[in-house]
């Protein structure tokens, strides 16, 4: 982009969730990482009462509106990170789930980790994110993800340093 002097805008959305106004979400919600994670928490029956606000929920209609606005901004070659800065903690999310009638309980991070350790194999299967449908479609077009190896970890470490 820089070498060819192109005027390009890159939009990097956060975790997209349902429409804020209607609550409607993608047809394949099972492919959404957040929904998979929360489903797993519901199946496990507890959540860690972590208070660090790390989860962003970028509502799809607001993300679309933000992209529409940013597309009119007169800037050359800019990258926009689109995510809701109003983040929530796992504790807050768990409490909202309880308020909505989900039968789960709040436990300490230590208790949560111990529970996972004691039920490791079964619970890890629940917590593992899946993207089988998308992976199969990509494979049909000859695309396959590469694994992280020593060289690529070295690249990450070099970037950090």
């Amino acid at each position: 982009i820089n070498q060819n002097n192109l005027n390009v805008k890159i939009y990097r959305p956060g975790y997209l969730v349902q429409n804020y106004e209607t609550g409607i979400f993608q047809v394949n919600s099972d492919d959404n990482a957040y929904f998979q994670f929360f489903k797993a928490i519901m199946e496990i029956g507890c959540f860690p009462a972590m208070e660090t606000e790390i989860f962003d929920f970028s509502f799809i209609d607001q993300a679309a509106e933000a992209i529409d606005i940013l597309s009119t901004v007169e800037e050359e070659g800019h990258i926009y990170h689109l995510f809701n800065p109003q983040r929530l903690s796992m504790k807050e999310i768990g409490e909202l789930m309880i308020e909505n009638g989900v039968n789960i309980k709040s436990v300490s991070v230590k208790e949560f980790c111990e529970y996972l350790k004691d039920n490791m194999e079964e619970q890890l299967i629940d917590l593992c994110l899946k993207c089988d449908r998308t992976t199969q479609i990509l494979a049909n077009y000859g695309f396959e993800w590469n694994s992280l190896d020593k060289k690529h970890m070295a690249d990450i470490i070099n970037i950090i340093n």
Side-chain angles (χ1 to χ4, degrees):
I1 293 171
N2 291 335
Q3 292 172 348
N4 294 317
N5 210 19
L6 299 174
N7 183 11
V8 175
K9 293 181 180 183
I10 298 171
Y11 305 98
R12 301 189 70 189
Y15 289 102
L16 298 174
V17 294
Q18 72 272 15
N19 183 297
Y20 186 78
E21 294 297 323
T22 67
I24 295 173
F25 191 55
Q26 65 194 54
V27 175
N28 58 334
S29 61
D30 287 344
D31 290 343
N32 181 280
Y34 265 6
F35 283 65
Q36 289 177 23
F37 177 73
F38 296 134
K39 182 179 179 183
I41 291 294
M42 291 167 69
E43 289 174 9
I44 290 169
C46 62
F47 63 91
M50 296 171 49
E51 296 194 25
T52 306
E53 295 175 339
I54 58 173
F55 293 94
D56 74 89
F57 292 84
S58 300
F59 297 98
I60 190 70
D61 53 327
Q62 292 182 319
E65 181 182 359
I67 290 171
D68 185 47
I69 291 168
L70 291 169
S71 71
T72 65
V73 173
E74 295 293 327
E75 285 185 328
E76 290 188 19
H78 200 80
I79 299 173
Y80 297 99
H81 297 272
L82 291 164
F83 61 87
N84 187 344
Q86 299 180 58
R87 297 179 182 206
L88 296 174
S89 68
M90 190 64 236
K91 181 179 179 186
E92 292 169 313
I93 291 167
E95 289 169 353
L96 289 171
M97 293 172 83
I98 291 169
E99 287 177 24
N100 278 282
V102 176
N103 186 22
I104 57 174
K105 63 180 179 175
S106 175
V107 297
S108 71
V109 174
K110 182 179 179 183
E111 288 173 296
F112 187 75
C113 290
E114 286 174 4
Y115 178 82
L116 289 180
K117 181 181 169 193
D118 293 343
N119 300 280
M120 186 65 83
E121 192 169 323
E122 179 184 327
Q123 300 309 329
L124 281 181
I125 291 169
D126 287 337
L127 287 173
C128 288
L129 303 180
K130 298 176 183 120
C131 58
D132 296 340
R133 182 180 155 276
T134 303
T135 301
Q136 184 58 55
I137 292 169
L138 290 170
N140 292 344
Y141 286 90
F143 179 88
E144 187 176 315
W145 292 101
N146 294 319
S147 296
L148 183 73
D149 57 18
K150 182 179 177 183
K151 183 251 187 265
H152 296 96
M153 179 53 71
D155 292 341
I156 292 169
I157 293 167
N158 285 336
I159 291 167
I160 293 169
N161 289 332

